[in-house]
Amino acid sequence: MKMGRKWSDRLQFGIFTLPVLICIAVAFYIPFVMTVRYSLTKWNGIAKHPKFVGLDNFQQIFTGDANFSSAAWFTIKYMVLYIVLVNVLAIVLALILDMKLRSTTWLRAAFFVPYILSLVIVGFIWKFIFMQGFESLGTTTGWGIFAMSWLGEPGLAFISILGVSIWQSVGFYMVIYIAGLQAVPEDLKEAATVDGAGAFRKFFSITLPLLAPSITISVFMALTNSIKVFDVILSLTGGGPGGTTYSVAYDIYRDTFQNNLYGYGTAKALVLFIAVLVITFIQLGIFKRREVEA
């Protein structure tokens, strides 16, 4: 009787989980296997029989592709600055908005609303601001900062992309840190105050160590999002000026869908996937150990 019930439970479990497993296989595992296959071929996306070239695509990526090298360097710079700046700003905003202020609820909503918008839409909005709005402000105020070519010079275009990305997403990380701050026991803060600790000492000795889980989550999210940055570049600068704002993801898009190098673009996508996987594993391992120590 027990054996029959066990097999019945297994059958029910299989019936309910099989559709999910099929969906996961169709949406992820099968495309991933196809990606690996096409990365070893020379294919224009139209031919019925892609030409097998082995590891030639990967050799070309790491030895003879200057665009990929510059795109990788752009992505690394963007990733480091984005992770640091967005998390520091989010922590500062969370500390301010965790205070008992009358306008706290409205301010939280105001900072979070941009995150609801698509980065493509945000990019087009800020493109209009940089090109039309700044021109009008420069004419009105006479300030030189508004007369600068924010999308026409490589350095300024990089700052524009970074600034727009942080403006759009800082509210999301702020909410994570607010949740972490609300989990900090008040009795620890009161005990530190009784012992004579100032605001900075309480923050660095009590609040920041207890924010370690929130920091781990936020840095992980910022890391993966920054490595895959694409949509804001597409809508804001289009990779310009002169290809100086190509990210790795945008370089993959350009080779695959604009130059019809589907095999080569797929190889680049596989390299990006492995890079994201390795970096996130390292980051999670380091920050999880720090959580335990804290």
Side-chain angles (χ1 to χ4, degrees):
M1 186 72 178
K2 290 183 178 180
M3 184 65 69
R5 179 175 295 178
K6 184 181 293 185
W7 279 105
S8 176
D9 292 341
R10 290 180 178 178
L11 180 61
Q12 291 180 8
F13 178 79
I15 291 174
F16 283 106
T17 56
L18 186 59
V20 177
L21 294 175
I22 292 174
C23 291
I24 293 174
V26 171
F28 179 76
Y29 292 112
I30 293 176
F32 180 76
V33 172
M34 294 175 66
T35 298
V36 175
R37 176 197 168 195
Y38 286 128
S39 68
L40 304 174
T41 65
K42 183 178 180 181
W43 186 43
N44 61 3
I46 300 174
K48 292 184 179 180
H49 303 289
K51 180 183 177 182
F52 180 79
V53 294
L55 298 177
D56 288 355
N57 287 332
F58 297 97
Q59 182 180 0
Q60 177 67 19
I61 290 172
F62 292 108
T63 59
D65 194 333
N67 289 331
F68 184 80
S69 301
S70 61
W73 176 238
F74 173 90
T75 304
I76 292 171
K77 290 190 298 181
Y78 175 88
M79 175 187 70
V80 173
L81 290 173
Y82 178 82
I83 292 172
V84 174
L85 294 176
V86 79
N87 280 281
V88 170
L89 286 173
I91 290 175
V92 172
L93 289 173
L95 288 171
I96 295 173
L97 297 182
D98 192 48
M99 300 176 183
K100 308 301 181 182
L101 303 174
R102 290 183 178 180
S103 58
T104 295
T105 303
W106 294 102
L107 288 173
R108 289 180 183 179
F111 281 110
F112 187 77
V113 164
Y115 183 75
I116 301 174
L117 302 175
S118 167
L119 256 178
V120 175
I121 298 174
V122 169
F124 282 120
I125 292 173
W126 274 97
K127 185 175 183 178
F128 173 80
I129 293 174
F130 282 128
M131 298 181 68
Q132 304 294 331
F134 275 23
E135 182 180 353
S136 300
L137 287 172
T139 303
T140 304
T141 63
W143 293 355
I145 190 172
F146 295 119
M148 299 170 68
S149 180
W150 286 94
L151 302 180
E153 296 181 11
L156 293 177
F158 176 81
I159 294 173
S160 300
I161 293 171
L162 182 64
V164 170
S165 300
I166 292 173
W167 175 84
Q168 188 264 350
S169 60
V170 68
F172 170 76
Y173 301 100
M174 179 195 70
V175 170
I176 296 176
Y177 285 120
I178 288 175
L181 288 172
Q182 292 176 348
V184 176
E186 288 294 331
D187 54 350
L188 290 178
K189 297 180 182 179
E190 294 173 0
T193 303
V194 172
D195 291 339
F200 285 97
R201 183 63 183 274
K202 285 192 293 183
F203 173 74
F204 287 105
S205 299
I206 296 175
T207 305
L208 193 60
L210 293 177
L211 275 179
S214 299
I215 294 174
T216 300
I217 295 171
S218 297
V219 172
F220 169 75
M221 296 294 295
L223 177 66
T224 53
N225 291 334
S226 60
I227 293 178
K228 299 181 294 183
V229 60
F230 167 75
D231 34 15
V232 66
I233 296 174
L234 178 68
S235 57
L236 190 60
T237 65
T244 54
T245 57
Y246 284 158
S247 66
V248 172
Y250 192 88
D251 187 52
I252 292 170
Y253 161 79
R254 189 176 61 88
D255 275 344
T256 306
F257 299 105
Q258 293 183 349
N259 299 334
N260 291 329
L261 300 174
Y262 281 79
Y264 190 58
T266 304
K268 286 186 176 183
L270 190 59
V271 171
L272 178 62
F273 169 79
I274 295 173
V276 172
L277 191 67
V278 171
I279 294 173
T280 50
F281 267 118
I282 294 173
Q283 179 262 322
L284 287 175
I286 294 173
F287 277 75
K288 283 295 182 182
R289 283 199 299 270
R290 290 185 178 274
E291 283 184 32
V292 175
E293 292 172 2

